[in-house]
Amino acid sequence: VVSSIVDFAYTFDREGRFTYINQALLDLFPLIREDAVGKTCFELNYPLDLATKLTRQIQTVFETGQIVKDEGPYTSAAGTTGYYEYIFVPVFNTEGQVEIVAGSTRDISERYAMEEQLREANTRREATLNTGEVGTWTWNIPADQVVADKNLARFFGVSEEDAQGGPIAHYIDAVYPDDRERISATIQTALEKQESYEAQYRLGKKDGAVRWVIARGFPEYDPEGKPVALHGVALDITELKKREAEIHALNHRLRRAVAETHHRVKNNLQVVAAIIEMQVL
């Protein structure tokens, strides 16, 4: 039964010798069972630092009766390199003493690669955030004239003429249809409450590519409290949104991989421990 498990399953005695090794781990070495059982990690040519760590962890389980979990890289004698997650659990005898340490190891190289991709994606996200282009504008409310710099004009796709005094409607029209009502309401609320605002919204048409911006507006009032201008800045965060979508997808895949690992390792250990307990008892 245990030899049919695709993950590694094995047991150790108090001297750190393998007392059982399933076929999956034998294939990694590669060795036949007779040449592996009864030997320690040192004798099976594990890297010295890894053999030392594993032996110490096995003894910790024997001494404390506590589970030990860890992970790390391993390169077999055949040159197979991977990243593995493992767990050592105690199996108790009728007197409550740890009789054997059972273990299960799973190759999580794919998951580890995803974690590396996630770290790289987060790094790219931070770099994107720090290098995004910024546009500025001022809206003269009574005259309904918007003066924008070249970056903002390019974000909104307005003409050079509009950038030097075009109406606000030309800018609202550039907003993605589903976001127009929301951004118009946000601006109106900010003017009525005499407070600044911040909003994320899309630019473009439903049948074309869209760009994302995050904008902040700062209203200005006359002595009577009437809004006379709205000053603002906008940051193009289109690439940032792409990075966030990439990170979200990687996180989803990673959560599934972690859940699958934990489920399979738990099942493996239940099988191994049950068989050993039957023998011990």
Side-chain angles (χ1 to χ4, degrees):
V1 172
V2 182
S3 283
S4 68
I5 297 173
V6 296
D7 299 330
F8 308 153
Y10 43 84
T11 57
F12 296 101
D13 63 15
R14 284 190 168 275
E15 283 68 46
R17 295 187 298 252
F18 283 96
T19 55
Y20 173 78
I21 304 176
N22 76 338
Q23 192 59 48
L25 184 53
L26 289 170
D27 291 341
L28 179 70
F29 285 147
L31 292 170
I32 60 173
R33 185 169 287 109
E34 290 74 14
D35 291 337
V37 170
K39 294 184 178 178
T40 65
C41 295
F42 294 101
E43 294 169 327
L44 291 177
N45 297 318
Y46 277 66
L48 181 59
D49 56 343
L50 178 59
T52 301
K53 181 175 78 168
L54 295 177
T55 301
R56 183 176 64 250
Q57 291 172 329
I58 293 165
Q59 290 305 313
T60 296
V61 179
F62 273 111
E63 293 168 5
T64 67
Q66 300 297 311
I67 294 172
V68 171
K69 299 178 182 179
D70 207 346
E71 61 182 48
Y74 174 73
T75 300
S76 71
T80 303
T81 299
Y83 200 86
Y84 298 87
E85 180 181 67
Y86 59 92
I87 179 171
F88 297 151
V89 299
V91 180
F92 299 94
N93 60 22
T94 54
E95 298 176 355
Q97 298 174 326
V98 180
E99 183 79 12
I100 290 174
V101 169
S104 181
T105 299
R106 188 181 184 202
D107 186 344
I108 59 167
S109 301
E110 183 178 356
R111 193 188 92 190
Y112 184 73
M114 281 192 285
E115 291 172 345
E116 285 292 308
Q117 291 174 20
L118 184 59
R119 284 189 284 270
E120 292 173 2
N122 276 309
T123 299
R124 291 194 297 270
R125 178 187 180 278
E126 293 302 317
T128 300
L129 183 61
N130 293 331
T131 59
E133 293 184 286
V134 177
T136 62
W137 81 90
T138 294
W139 176 28
N140 182 324
I141 298 175
D144 190 20
Q145 293 179 329
V146 178
V147 176
D149 66 10
K150 62 180 182 180
N151 280 343
L152 192 90
R154 180 163 49 79
F155 295 167
F156 283 78
V158 299
S159 66
E160 185 176 337
E161 180 181 355
D162 276 341
Q164 298 305 313
I168 191 67
H170 288 186
Y171 291 84
I172 296 297
D173 287 345
V175 175
Y176 191 73
D178 290 353
D179 293 347
R180 287 176 191 165
E181 184 176 345
R182 175 173 59 85
I183 190 60
S184 296
T186 298
I187 293 173
Q188 187 61 38
T189 299
L191 293 175
E192 292 173 356
K193 294 185 176 181
Q194 298 190 12
E195 60 186 18
S196 61
Y197 74 87
E198 179 175 304
Q200 290 187 28
Y201 53 91
R202 294 162 291 180
L203 301 174
K205 299 180 180 180
K206 281 194 172 184
D207 57 352
V210 300
R211 299 196 68 78
W212 278 90
V213 296
I214 182 170
R216 289 181 178 178
F218 310 90
E220 180 185 343
Y221 301 85
D222 64 15
E224 297 179 357
K226 294 181 180 180
V228 295
L230 183 64
H231 310 283
V233 295
L235 175 67
D236 185 340
I237 59 170
T238 304
E239 292 302 316
L240 181 64
K241 283 289 185 179
K242 292 180 181 178
R243 301 302 178 207
E244 288 177 345
E246 178 185 358
I247 290 170
H248 177 76
L250 284 170
N251 268 320
H252 179 68
R253 290 171 56 200
L254 187 57
R255 284 193 296 269
R256 291 184 59 183
V258 170
E260 182 184 353
T261 297
H262 291 168
H263 180 71
R264 284 180 57 178
V265 169
K266 179 181 178 180
N267 286 348
N268 293 347
L269 284 171
Q270 287 176 336
V271 172
V272 176
I275 293 174
I276 294 170
E277 285 174 356
M278 286 189 292
Q279 294 175 334
V280 171
L281 299 176

